[in-house]
Amino acid sequence: MSFRNLGLAWLALAAVSSIGFAQPRVPVREITQIEGDLYRARNGGWYTVFLVTPAGIILGDPINESFSPWLKGELDTRFPGKPVRYVVYSHSHFDHAAGGAVFADTATFVAHENMLRNMDGRYPQMPGDMIDRNDNGVIDREEIDIPTNARPGLCGMGPGFFDTIDRNSDGVATPQELQQHIVRPSIVYNDRMRIELGGKIVELVHPGLNHSNDATVMVFPGERAAFATEFIADAFVTDNSRSLPSACGPFDGSPLAEWIKSYRTVEDLDFDILVTGHGSALSDKAVVRDTRQFFEDLRAEVAAGMAAGQSLEQLKESVRLEKYSGWANYERLRAYNVEAAYRNLLTYR
Ligand SMILES: [Zn+2]
C-alpha cells in the first residue's frame, strides 16, 4: 500500500518503527523461477511477475523507473530475442505501475478500464487515506501530511514525499505530476480479457473494488498460478501472508462488501500458486479464503456492535478478533481495522 519509489520512504519508515532496522538504500533485486516459464522479479519489498514465451515476454507491473531499466537489462541478457510484448498493470498506483517507458518500443500496455479514468487528469483513486479533502482536484501538502502524521509509517507517505511529486514547486501536485512515470494503458478491458502470445495464455480478471478501483488479477493457466497485489497482501506483508490489513481511512474508499466480493472472485479462479506483489513467500488460495473470512468476521462483529449502540471507542475495545491473534500485525493493527470497518459501514451503509 505504500509508495516508496524515491529513496527511503514509506516501507523503510515502517521497518524502522516496527522491526527495528532500515531498508537498504538500494533495494534487493532478484529474479526467481515460480513454475516453468513463469518468473518473479523483486525490487525490495515489491514484486512483479513475467511469463516467457517463444514470441516474447508478458510482464506484470514495471514497479518504478529505477527498477525497470535493471529488469530490462536482466531480461535482455537472460532471454535474448524475446522482448517484452505486453505490460499488464495490477493497478494504477505509481509504486507498482511506474517505469514502463523502457518497454514502450516493443510492448502493449494493458489495464482495467478504470486506470484510464484514474489517469485522465482528475484526482485519482488513492490509497493510504490520501483523499482530496478540500475537493480541489490537486494533491495538496496536507492531503499527504494528515494521514502521514495521524498514523506515521502506516498511512499517507514518508516524510518529504510531497516535495518529490510537486516537481515545479508550485505548492500543489497535479495528478499528472504524481503519475509522471506511468505509461498510459493502450488497451483496457472491463471484466475479463485473454492474452495469447507464443502459444501461451494469460487471463486477466477484474476482481472488483478493493485497495484500488482498477485492479487486475493475472491468471497463468499453464503454470496454475495467479498474480494479485495489494488487496491480498499489502506493503506490511514481509513473509507471513496472513497479516492484518493496514486499514487506512475507511479501507481505501471501497465498501467492505466489494472487498469480500474481490476475494471470492479470486477464490473461484482455477490456480494453485498465488504470487503476491508484497511478501517474500509464494502463497496459495487458502490465504485468499482466510483473508476473506477475516473481512467477513470484522464486518460482522463491528456491525453487531454498532447495532447494539456501541461507540467507536467501545468497539475498539470489544471487537477482539481473537481468531486472528496469531496473524502478523494483530497487536498493531487490530484497533485500526475496527475503526476502518466502522467508518466504512457508516460511509457505505
Ligand atoms: Zn496500491
Side-chain angles (χ1 to χ4, degrees):
M1 177 170 297
S2 79
F3 286 161
R4 189 207 50 173
N5 72 334
L6 287 150
L8 292 172
W10 200 87
L11 186 67
L13 183 66
V16 169
S17 55
S18 64
I19 308 170
F21 59 86
Q23 290 275 305
R25 190 163 284 277
V26 177
V28 174
R29 290 173 175 159
E30 60 184 352
I31 290 172
T32 53
Q33 186 180 29
I34 298 168
E35 178 72 34
D37 296 315
L38 182 64
Y39 296 82
R40 194 180 199 201
R42 174 185 184 190
N43 186 52
W46 275 245
Y47 294 83
T48 185
V49 289
F50 62 89
L51 180 68
V52 182
T53 87
I57 291 171
I58 303 171
L59 173 66
D61 292 315
I63 300 185
N64 68 38
E65 66 277 11
S66 63
F67 170 74
S68 58
W70 174 87
L71 178 61
K72 182 174 173 13
E74 291 291 315
L75 297 179
D76 289 347
T77 302
R78 294 173 187 232
F79 310 103
K82 294 184 177 174
V84 171
R85 293 294 186 195
Y86 290 95
V87 172
V88 178
Y89 289 122
S90 68
H91 64 307
S92 63
H93 295 156
F94 66 80
D95 62 323
H96 294 263
V102 295
F103 305 112
D105 57 342
T106 59
T108 299
F109 291 74
V110 186
H112 182 261
E113 63 182 4
N114 287 352
M115 184 165 173
L116 277 184
R117 187 184 185 284
N118 283 322
M119 293 187 71
D120 72 358
R122 281 176 280 190
Y123 198 100
Q125 190 274 355
M126 295 276 279
D129 200 26
M130 292 181 284
I131 54 175
D132 190 4
R133 286 174 161 77
N134 59 7
D135 203 25
N136 66 349
V138 296
I139 297 154
D140 301 286
R141 187 178 294 275
E142 67 169 19
E143 284 156 3
I144 307 290
D145 286 354
I146 288 174
T148 300
N149 294 332
R151 293 186 196 171
L154 274 175
C155 305
M157 296 298 304
F161 173 77
F162 179 83
D163 295 318
T164 68
I165 55 167
D166 179 18
R167 295 169 204 272
N168 62 2
S169 302
D170 64 354
V172 295
T174 62
Q176 289 90 342
E177 284 178 310
L178 178 78
Q179 298 165 332
Q180 175 173 291
H181 294 291
I182 303 178
V183 175
R184 291 165 63 90
S186 46
I187 294 179
V188 295
Y189 73 98
N190 173 269
D191 182 41
R192 298 196 179 212
M193 176 176 165
R194 163 184 285 226
I195 295 174
E196 289 189 48
L197 181 70
K200 301 226 172 202
I201 291 169
V202 181
E203 308 272 6
L204 311 187
V205 177
H206 175 59
L209 311 177
N210 42 65
H211 162 83
S212 68
N213 64 3
D214 53 12
T216 290
V217 178
M218 299 174 79
V219 183
F220 304 90
E223 293 71 25
R224 298 205 50 77
F227 175 65
T229 192
E230 298 278 34
F231 67 102
I232 293 172
D234 69 24
F236 280 93
V237 175
T238 51
D239 51 0
N240 182 3
S241 294
R242 288 174 178 82
S243 174
L244 263 64
S246 40
C248 297
F251 277 113
D252 294 329
S254 297
L256 286 173
E258 279 283 333
W259 282 81
I260 291 164
K261 187 191 114 187
S262 296
Y263 297 121
R264 284 203 183 278
T265 301
V266 178
E267 287 177 72
D268 288 342
L269 300 173
D270 189 20
F271 70 92
D272 297 319
I273 306 166
L274 176 68
V275 189
T276 52
H278 297 288
S280 58
L282 293 177
S283 200
D284 59 24
K285 200 179 278 187
V287 165
V288 185
R289 180 200 62 211
D290 291 351
T291 306
R292 187 250 306 157
Q293 286 173 348
F294 170 81
F295 270 82
E296 289 177 341
D297 289 343
L298 174 66
R299 179 176 65 172
E301 291 193 33
V302 171
M306 290 167 74
Q310 287 192 29
S311 69
L312 173 58
E313 287 312 308
Q314 289 171 322
L315 288 166
K316 283 158 79 170
E317 287 301 315
S318 66
V319 178
R320 303 309 303 178
L321 299 160
E322 291 290 349
K323 188 174 151 189
Y324 304 96
S325 59
W327 284 30
N329 296 308
Y330 172 84
E331 293 295 336
R332 186 181 190 195
L333 296 177
R334 180 197 56 82
Y336 289 142
N337 273 263
V338 172
E339 181 169 350
Y342 171 85
R343 298 195 187 288
N344 193 287
L345 291 170
L346 283 181
T347 304
Y348 303 109
R349 70 163 87 218

